[in-house]
Amino acid sequence: MSSFRLQIVTPDGSPFDGQAEALRLRTSEGYVSIRAGHVDYIAALDVGMVSVTKDGTTRDAACGGGFISVENGEVRLVATTFEYADEIDIERAESAKKRAEERLAQAQEERDIALAKAKLSRALNRIDVAEKQA
């Protein structure tokens, strides 16, 4: 299978930099699959699962948003958060979910409601991705 250069970067580092065969991720418009030869493309990322296939093996991760660009056959994913399923601390994610639910229940201002919903979405995504790995 053909491959392409993929670089994934976050504020904390670069969880992937090398050749990949496929990338599946959630954009603001829905899920997209990237393979070698993909047309140039740019999109905002939504909270969701990212699947990276390298050497026939797929590894899933929780992504907290960002953007993706495909240019001249090279793919760059810039994520606000990116955590491989096997590295997710489920207890920590469950605690974050509980805190977000409590904040959402108490929130009265639109800004606080939106922030609590975003935190809840990220926590639920992390739990979902980790549980699919198990």
Side-chain angles (χ1 to χ4, degrees):
M1 183 180 282
S2 297
S3 64
F4 58 91
R5 178 151 189 270
L6 170 63
Q7 184 180 34
I8 300 173
V9 295
T10 71
D12 297 323
S14 181
F16 189 94
D17 190 355
Q19 293 297 117
E21 296 152 5
L23 176 67
R24 184 172 187 273
L25 52 106
R26 184 175 179 182
T27 71
S28 58
E29 300 297 316
Y31 276 94
V32 173
S33 292
I34 308 289
R35 296 192 184 271
H38 198 285
V39 298
D40 287 357
Y41 176 76
I42 189 165
L45 298 180
D46 202 354
V47 172
M49 184 166 68
V50 172
S51 299
V52 178
T53 302
K54 178 182 177 177
D55 299 328
T57 301
T58 300
R59 193 168 181 202
D60 296 329
C63 180
F67 75 91
I68 182 170
S69 70
V70 180
E71 187 174 5
N72 298 322
E74 293 193 5
V75 180
R76 185 163 202 188
L77 188 154
V78 179
T80 54
T81 61
F82 186 94
E83 193 173 7
Y84 286 111
D86 57 357
E87 297 172 352
I88 294 173
D89 181 340
I90 294 179
E91 287 181 23
R92 190 171 138 245
E94 290 284 355
S95 294
K97 174 185 171 236
K98 184 178 178 183
R99 285 191 308 275
E101 289 171 334
E102 290 168 356
R103 287 181 183 161
L104 186 57
Q106 297 172 0
Q108 295 178 359
E109 303 285 325
E110 278 187 49
R111 182 179 184 281
D112 296 334
I113 292 168
L115 183 60
K117 284 182 178 180
K119 289 184 180 209
L120 180 57
S121 177
R122 286 192 298 269
L124 290 171
N125 182 52
R126 291 177 69 231
I127 293 166
D128 186 48
V129 169
E131 287 178 347
K132 285 181 181 176
Q133 178 74 27

